[in-house]
Amino acid sequence: MNTLFDDSIADGEPDATQLILTDIQSGMFQPGAWLKQIDLEARYGRGRNEIRRALDRLAQKRIVEHVPNRGYHVYQADGKQADDIAEIRIMLETGIVPKVVANATAGDIRNLRALANRFESLILHGTVLELYEANLNFHRAFMQLSGNGELDSVIAELRQRTSSAPVSQWKTRARVEQSAREHHEMVDLLERRKPDKLKTLIENHIRQR
Amino acid sequence: MNTLFDDSIADGEPDATQLILTDIQSGMFQPGAWLKQIDLEARYGRGRNEIRRALDRLAQKRIVEHVPNRGYHVYQADGKQADDIAEIRIMLETGIVPKVVANATAGDIRNLRALANRFESLILHGTVLELYEANLNFHRAFMQLSGNGELDSVIAELRQRTSSAPVSQWKTRARVEQSAREHHEMVDLLERRKPDKLKTLIENHIRQR
DNA sequence: TTCTCATAAATTGGTACCAATTTTGGATCA
DNA sequence: TGATCCAAAATTGGTACCAATTTATGAGAA
């Protein structure tokens, strides 16, 4: 569950921002696609106002791009930006490793193992979006062991900024399976308290190589 | 100049978001203060709509807090949050030091020295806001030597999240003067290419101790 | 045919009004 | 005197309409 735009009161009425974002992340709206207000209105059954507010919020987060009087388009990050964002994620996710290693209890490690298993099992029977969410959940749970409550929102935002189409993140089946293996390896290294090896693994995991 | 909300077309008509943000940063609106829509409308001479959009944007960035049907209040971060954000800033600003050291030319160093001087001179003759901007400019110029174009927006957002009242950041005159000295010291260490000493200095500089 | 210009359609963006909710003030009753 | 409840005022939030801008369409001339 994506909690960055958690403005919904009950689960029966999710915010339009979240709906549009999900459609972008699922690949429904490709990078560069024109998000016409009337179409969104019809698609989600929401008023013009809510759609406009949602688009403005997504534009603030640089998930969509806004050109005055010409509408909103799904943002497409170029290679340089993707690399820069990966670099920032590496600094943060490796930077907190010492604290994670220090804080992780046996229960935490069991929980992480479960999340890694869930990701692995979804390779076969899950949708792309479910896979994306499961991956997010694993990394989130890992980060939260740092005890830094702000880190989550920062990294969540960074992720969204690149992976406008997270579909393209795991191009091949082999790559997804390697990600799953690396998740397990991360848990192993955490259990064996090897911060340095963990750091290099995370770096390679984020760089996808 | 704060460029996070750079939606203004000409300089004659700055976005209401920027105006409100500046008033928060200058201490005009203290943490916890109630931002009544009618008052803001009158204060900035803008329509209701623009005010509402501005408040929504600030709420998204967690600079103000929104309670449905009860309005917007200036967010007040507690001590834990401030510490968490400081920790993130330290990871990022020390993490890029190697790249900064590698990239910095003699011209870059002259430029940084000038910005450090500007901050120093504003201690006597500048307003709190000018001091805040000068400090921001120094740190920005430093970061941008890393070549990472995304880092700027990430850190700018982090800064805004804590320093709702940047006034309170430099409580005493002595503290401001120490900051100015540390800026110069940063430039010195950069010039002498001492990444490790630079890292510890930056850490202490952000922690303000 | 093809380019240009004028007209019409579509889309975005802003304004004004109205409904819903909350807060305030005061009157009534214990 | 103090608490409770009701009515009025204030505030927020949403909807509908209209203006501004852009894009599409088609007619006419080279």
Side-chain angles (χ1 to χ4, degrees):
Chain A
M1 174 80 174
N2 199 325
T3 53
L4 234 210
F5 293 113
D6 201 3
D7 288 341
S8 54
I9 300 173
D11 203 46
E13 238 186 278
D15 191 291
T17 315
Q18 181 58 57
L19 292 172
I20 298 172
L21 179 62
T22 302
D23 274 342
I24 291 174
Q25 289 173 335
S26 73
M28 175 74 234
F29 299 134
Q30 292 288 316
W34 177 22
L35 301 175
K36 234 186 293 189
Q37 295 180 8
I38 295 182
D39 292 348
L40 300 177
E41 223 173 313
R43 181 175 177 83
Y44 306 115
R46 302 303 167 83
R48 180 62 144 281
N49 217 303
E50 188 176 342
I51 297 295
R52 279 200 329 217
R53 181 172 49 206
L55 288 171
D56 184 67
R57 287 179 179 176
L58 293 170
Q60 292 296 309
K61 297 201 181 298
R62 301 218 328 231
I63 291 161
V64 304
E65 200 181 2
H66 175 59
V67 181
N69 292 315
R70 293 183 66 186
Y72 297 81
H73 291 253
V74 177
Y75 190 77
Q76 30 192 347
D78 58 24
K80 171 77 165 72
Q81 282 175 318
D83 289 347
D84 284 350
I85 289 170
E87 189 184 12
I88 296 174
R89 280 189 55 200
I90 290 166
M91 283 193 279
L92 294 178
E93 300 197 35
T94 61
I96 51 151
V97 162
K99 291 209 169 184
V100 173
V101 169
N103 293 345
T105 67
D108 292 331
I109 289 169
R110 270 197 305 277
N111 183 38
L112 278 175
R113 188 82 67 190
L115 290 170
N117 282 331
R118 167 138 184 86
F119 178 86
E120 196 174 19
S121 70
L122 283 173
I123 295 177
L124 284 175
H125 306 295
T127 68
V128 186
L129 209 61
E130 285 174 324
L131 205 62
Y132 175 73
E133 293 284 348
N135 181 55
L136 214 69
N137 286 338
F138 175 81
H139 282 274
R140 262 199 178 140
F142 189 89
M143 284 186 326
Q144 278 170 356
L145 296 183
S146 71
N148 190 321
E150 299 296 311
L151 208 57
D152 184 63
S153 64
V154 174
I155 295 188
E157 195 166 324
L158 282 172
R159 280 179 169 284
Q160 291 179 332
R161 207 178 279 181
T162 35
S163 58
S164 298
V167 189
S168 63
Q169 201 167 11
W170 298 296
K171 284 232 163 60
T172 66
R173 169 71 164 277
R175 180 57 246 187
V176 191
E177 285 173 348
Q178 188 184 333
S179 278
R181 275 195 305 275
E182 285 169 349
H183 288 169
H184 282 295
E185 212 176 326
M186 281 172 66
V187 184
D188 292 341
L189 289 174
L190 175 59
E191 192 166 29
R192 288 158 50 207
R193 316 282 164 179
K194 302 274 190 185
D196 291 337
K197 288 189 175 177
L198 193 44
K199 281 184 184 178
T200 50
L201 173 61
I202 289 173
E203 178 167 352
N204 290 332
H205 181 68
I206 293 175
R207 286 236 163 80
Q208 296 265 33
R209 67 186 180 192
Chain B
M1 177 74 176
N2 200 324
T3 53
L4 233 209
F5 292 113
D6 200 3
D7 288 343
S8 55
I9 300 172
D11 203 46
E13 239 187 276
D15 192 287
T17 315
Q18 181 59 56
L19 292 172
I20 298 172
L21 179 61
T22 303
D23 274 342
I24 292 174
Q25 288 173 334
S26 73
M28 176 73 234
F29 299 134
Q30 293 287 317
W34 179 23
L35 300 176
K36 235 186 291 188
Q37 296 180 8
I38 296 182
D39 293 347
L40 299 177
E41 223 173 314
R43 180 176 177 84
Y44 306 116
R46 302 303 168 85
R48 180 61 143 282
N49 218 300
E50 190 176 341
I51 297 295
R52 284 209 311 228
R53 180 171 51 206
L55 288 172
D56 185 66
R57 287 180 180 176
L58 293 170
Q60 291 297 307
K61 296 202 181 298
R62 304 223 325 238
I63 291 162
V64 304
E65 200 181 2
H66 175 60
V67 180
N69 291 317
R70 295 183 67 186
Y72 297 82
H73 291 253
V74 178
Y75 190 78
Q76 28 193 349
D78 57 23
K80 171 79 166 71
Q81 282 175 319
D83 289 349
D84 284 351
I85 289 171
E87 188 185 13
I88 296 175
R89 280 189 55 200
I90 289 166
M91 282 192 279
L92 293 178
E93 299 197 36
T94 62
I96 51 151
V97 161
K99 291 209 168 186
V100 172
V101 168
N103 294 344
T105 67
D108 291 332
I109 289 168
R110 270 196 305 278
N111 184 39
L112 279 176
R113 188 82 68 188
L115 290 171
N117 283 329
R118 167 138 185 83
F119 179 86
E120 194 173 20
S121 70
L122 282 173
I123 295 176
L124 284 175
H125 306 295
T127 68
V128 186
L129 210 60
E130 285 173 325
L131 205 62
Y132 176 74
E133 293 285 347
N135 181 55
L136 214 69
N137 287 337
F138 175 83
H139 283 274
R140 261 198 179 140
F142 190 89
M143 284 186 328
Q144 278 170 356
L145 295 182
S146 72
N148 190 320
E150 299 298 310
L151 207 58
D152 184 61
S153 64
V154 174
I155 295 188
E157 195 166 321
L158 282 172
R159 280 179 168 283
Q160 292 179 332
R161 207 177 279 181
T162 36
S163 58
S164 298
V167 188
S168 63
Q169 200 165 11
W170 298 296
K171 285 233 162 62
T172 67
R173 170 72 164 275
R175 179 58 244 187
V176 189
E177 284 172 349
Q178 187 185 334
S179 279
R181 276 196 304 275
E182 286 169 347
H183 288 168
H184 282 295
E185 211 177 328
M186 281 172 67
V187 182
D188 292 341
L189 289 172
L190 175 59
E191 192 168 28
R192 288 159 49 207
R193 317 281 164 180
K194 302 276 190 183
D196 292 336
K197 288 190 176 178
L198 194 43
K199 281 184 184 178
T200 48
L201 173 61
I202 289 174
E203 179 167 353
N204 289 332
H205 182 68
I206 293 175
R207 286 237 163 81
Q208 294 264 35
R209 65 185 180 194

